[in-house]
Amino acid sequence: MTAEDMQYLTIALPKGKLFYLAKDLFAKVGYSAENLEEKSRKLVITNDELKIKFIIAKTADVPVYVEHGAADIGVIGKDVLMESDKDIYELLDLGFGRCHLMMAVPKDKKRAKLTDYAHTRVATKFPHIAKKFFNSKGMQMEYIKMNGSIELGPIVGLSESIVDIVETGTTLRENNLEEIAFIADASARLIANRASFKLKFNRINKLIQDLDTVLKGDNE
Ligand code: PRP
């Protein structure tokens, strides 16, 4: 680590639904930077006074930056974190972005029981999580990795089911899909690079405590 790297705390924020929630939470503990916007063309936004650098990354890349130390800490959904299976520290549940991972099927083609779907095709953005889940049920499946609009899979005959996240349930309802198995709860997490956590322990630990205080206050 260079002397500059040591001075600054680099924070990876994900684009998308979690961006502004994360930005607002950090602002509450005094971690902010001018022009920190999701759509900024400038991808590293620095606050030299506070010695903070924000990196704005694609969601799935946040754990990659953190694992390799390109960012000291980051904010990421537990779903993406579980799927990425990276060697990082998970420090804090940030409470927002609550959703759950589940398996859903077309309502009108619902089979009697879960194991009736063994050896069928499942469309998902989360093949590792899905595989772990189906393996635990003793089911072999064919996994079709998709990058978005997973609900389309069964509608266009690409798969018999999906494994995806549900937040409000609107997407399932509007596409006549029904949840038939719960897999795991998820929400936004604060993660840290292992070396950074040791080298910048005081700063990161203070940040965790400050965030925790704000989160507890929000829940009162
Ligand atoms: C996620 C997820 C579902 C939807 C669920 O998609 O994949 O499609 O949100 O939310 P709901 O239960 O509130 O309807 P996202 O909007 O992240 O986009 P994507 O489909 O491109 O992954």
Side-chain angles (χ1 to χ4, degrees):
M1 231 180 245
T2 65
E4 183 178 318
D5 286 343
M6 268 311 287
Q7 272 188 350
Y8 279 78
L9 192 71
T10 304
I11 306 168
L13 296 182
K15 289 182 183 178
K17 288 179 187 168
L18 299 181
F19 181 82
Y20 284 101
L21 296 165
K23 177 185 162 175
D24 289 351
L25 178 63
F26 275 107
K28 284 185 186 166
V29 295
Y31 275 56
S32 57
E34 222 176 301
N35 302 320
L36 180 59
E37 301 297 336
E38 184 188 4
K39 301 273 184 274
S40 164
R41 300 311 298 172
K42 204 169 166 215
L43 299 173
V44 181
I45 294 165
T46 305
N47 183 331
D48 287 314
E49 203 184 315
L50 299 176
K51 299 278 182 273
I52 303 169
K53 284 182 190 173
F54 286 100
I55 295 178
I56 305 168
K58 276 207 152 201
T59 305
D61 292 337
V62 168
V64 180
Y65 284 111
V66 173
E67 184 183 42
H68 293 278
D72 298 306
I73 60 172
V75 172
I76 193 67
K78 177 73 177 174
D79 49 334
V80 179
L81 191 57
M82 282 195 284
E83 181 63 23
S84 72
D85 201 21
K86 295 286 182 213
D87 187 22
I88 49 98
Y89 287 127
E90 184 181 324
L91 302 177
L92 194 61
D93 184 342
L94 299 175
F96 55 80
R98 287 201 182 283
C99 59
H100 70 275
L101 282 147
M102 52 90 234
M103 176 194 186
V105 300
K107 265 188 182 157
D108 55 352
K109 291 187 193 137
K110 198 175 152 189
R111 302 183 183 183
K113 52 187 196 308
L114 180 64
T115 46
D116 291 341
Y117 288 92
H119 303 289
T120 61
R121 299 163 301 171
V122 52
T124 185
K125 230 187 320 190
F126 305 98
H128 292 116
I129 296 173
K131 197 164 181 200
K132 241 186 184 167
F133 169 72
F134 288 113
N135 283 352
S136 77
K137 304 282 175 199
M139 294 166 69
Q140 274 193 7
M141 304 291 281
E142 185 184 330
Y143 299 94
I144 301 175
K145 168 84 164 81
M146 295 181 73
N147 295 302
S149 305
I150 314 299
E151 292 81 1
L152 254 182
I155 295 172
V156 296
L158 187 69
S159 70
E160 280 66 43
S161 66
I162 62 167
V163 163
D164 199 13
I165 55 164
V166 174
E167 204 177 324
T168 61
T170 309
T171 315
L172 287 185
R173 259 193 314 279
E174 290 189 352
N175 293 291
N176 296 316
L177 295 165
E178 186 180 324
E179 176 174 340
I180 60 161
F182 169 88
I183 300 179
D185 280 315
S187 57
R189 305 292 155 99
L190 182 71
I191 58 173
N193 172 268
R194 287 181 174 271
S196 300
F197 187 64
K198 291 192 186 86
L199 293 169
K200 301 181 184 179
F201 180 79
N202 290 341
R203 194 165 179 194
I204 295 176
N205 199 36
K206 166 90 168 61
L207 175 62
I208 295 170
Q209 283 171 17
D210 290 350
L211 288 169
D212 203 33
T213 305
V214 168
L215 292 169
K216 284 191 175 127
D218 282 353
N219 288 331
E220 267 164 19

